[in-house]
Amino acid sequence: MQRSILKYFKAADQSISTDPRYPNPAMQEDREAFITANKLVRKVENQESSRKRPRGAYNIIDPAMKAKIGRFAAENGNIHAARKFSQDLNIKLAESTVREYKKQYYKQLKLHDGDPGSVLALPDGNRGRPLLLGKDLDDKVANYVKHLRAEGCPVNRTIVLAGAKGIVMAQDNSLLSENGGPVQLGRKWVESFLSRRGYVKRKGTKAARKLPSDFEFVEKTFIQRIRDTCHKHRIADASMIVNIDETGVKLMPTSQWTLNEAGT
């Protein structure tokens, strides 16, 4: 009598994402937070259209260079400074930005008794401003985004926003402005979050990539995931593990752009 292959399978827990592109909630301490965030990220990815025109990457200028620009502007004028450093840094530096650096430079100059040689760096703006989500939730969002990147999921502003809302909803749904709460997450917050966390825009290529620095860790994690799945579903026979076509195929429309930590 022919036996049904269905007896070897067990219904999966639909509340846990099995999509390898997302962090596995079963392996996280904040299980419910990751489940909620995964659901919202998946929903956004399904709705996102590749027809959207990507905007240019933000320029990150370190405090020492800001001081140098501010001093040059104080001695030679804003327009001259904007032209010079746009060429030197290979970026488009607006005159209004130079004007702000010069203003900060003069403030620091007063604090150093007018000695230009003592002004080596300009402090970042908005120093001391409280985080909208608070340190705990902000760190949880950063941790979730880090796991998204580790799993190979494309990360953009819309994805980060959806993940952040999921983390907040898991903590306290009433905190969000749409539910009458004080937390309003939007484009400005996402840009501030990514800037604080040092993320920059990257575009994927079809050329062969170098192995990542954490390749061995990723490899061990992948193998361990297979072992955990076999143990969970009691798959003792290795012949039941099937390797499907290795060619990369997109299951849903995704953007060619992603975000990664600067310098990596």
Side-chain angles (χ1 to χ4, degrees):
M1 183 177 179
Q2 186 176 7
R3 294 186 297 177
S4 173
I5 194 174
L6 294 177
K7 77 172 195 174
Y8 293 102
F9 296 89
K10 180 181 179 182
D13 185 351
Q14 297 300 320
S15 65
I16 301 180
S17 170
T18 56
D19 192 325
R21 299 179 307 115
Y22 305 129
N24 188 350
M27 302 176 67
Q28 310 299 328
E29 293 183 3
D30 295 328
R31 179 178 179 274
E32 295 301 325
F34 273 66
I35 290 175
T36 307
N38 280 350
K39 287 180 180 178
L40 287 183
V41 167
R42 186 183 301 106
K43 180 179 178 180
V44 167
E45 279 196 327
N46 287 331
Q47 295 174 345
E48 201 170 44
S49 171
S50 59
R51 293 174 298 180
K52 291 183 179 180
R53 185 177 180 182
R55 65 180 294 179
Y58 288 91
N59 300 316
I60 299 177
I61 301 178
D62 62 74
M65 181 56 67
K66 290 179 182 179
K68 187 175 181 180
I69 295 173
R71 179 176 178 177
F72 188 91
E75 297 172 350
N76 300 279
N78 298 340
I79 296 179
H80 188 185
R83 290 174 179 172
K84 170 179 169 52
F85 287 96
S86 291
Q87 182 177 2
D88 291 351
L89 302 177
N90 195 28
I91 61 175
K92 184 173 178 56
L93 188 62
E95 188 270 338
S96 59
T97 303
V98 174
R99 190 187 316 128
E100 180 62 26
Y101 292 165
K102 184 173 72 172
K103 182 179 178 181
Q104 294 180 24
Y105 172 77
Y106 279 137
K107 288 182 178 180
Q108 292 298 312
L109 197 61
K110 289 183 180 180
L111 296 176
H112 291 82
D113 299 324
D115 179 14
S118 298
V119 183
L120 303 178
L122 298 181
D124 293 328
N126 298 326
R127 176 164 291 184
R129 184 177 180 180
L131 298 174
L132 178 62
L133 300 181
K135 187 177 185 306
D136 184 49
L137 279 177
D138 201 83
D139 287 344
K140 286 184 178 181
V141 174
N143 182 48
Y144 178 74
V145 173
K146 181 179 179 180
H147 278 81
L148 280 178
R149 288 287 309 139
E151 299 295 343
C153 176
V155 177
N156 54 38
R157 291 172 176 81
T158 309
I159 296 297
V160 172
L161 181 59
K165 285 187 176 181
I167 297 295
V168 175
M169 287 172 63
Q171 178 84 8
D172 186 351
N173 196 32
S174 64
L175 290 174
L176 295 174
S177 59
E178 50 261 45
N179 299 320
V183 176
Q184 183 175 4
L185 298 178
R187 185 178 183 84
K188 288 185 178 180
W189 175 84
V190 172
E191 291 174 353
S192 173
F193 173 82
L194 294 174
S195 177
R196 285 188 287 104
R197 296 291 176 170
Y199 282 91
V200 294
K201 209 170 184 181
R202 297 279 176 84
K203 187 172 185 179
T205 63
K206 294 182 179 179
R209 299 178 177 86
K210 294 181 180 180
L211 290 178
S213 59
D214 60 343
F215 172 74
E216 292 185 1
F217 172 76
V218 174
E219 181 184 30
K220 290 180 180 178
T221 302
F222 174 72
I223 295 174
Q224 186 60 46
R225 180 178 296 174
I226 296 177
R227 290 173 178 168
D228 292 342
T229 302
C230 291
H231 177 74
K232 178 180 179 180
H233 298 287
R234 300 178 181 178
I235 303 175
D237 188 356
S239 64
M240 296 297 297
I241 303 176
V242 181
N243 180 28
I244 303 176
D245 190 353
E246 297 177 357
T247 303
V249 178
K250 288 187 177 181
L251 302 179
M252 62 183 71
T254 57
S255 172
Q256 294 180 335
W257 292 93
T258 188
L259 293 163
N260 203 352
E261 294 182 19
T264 58

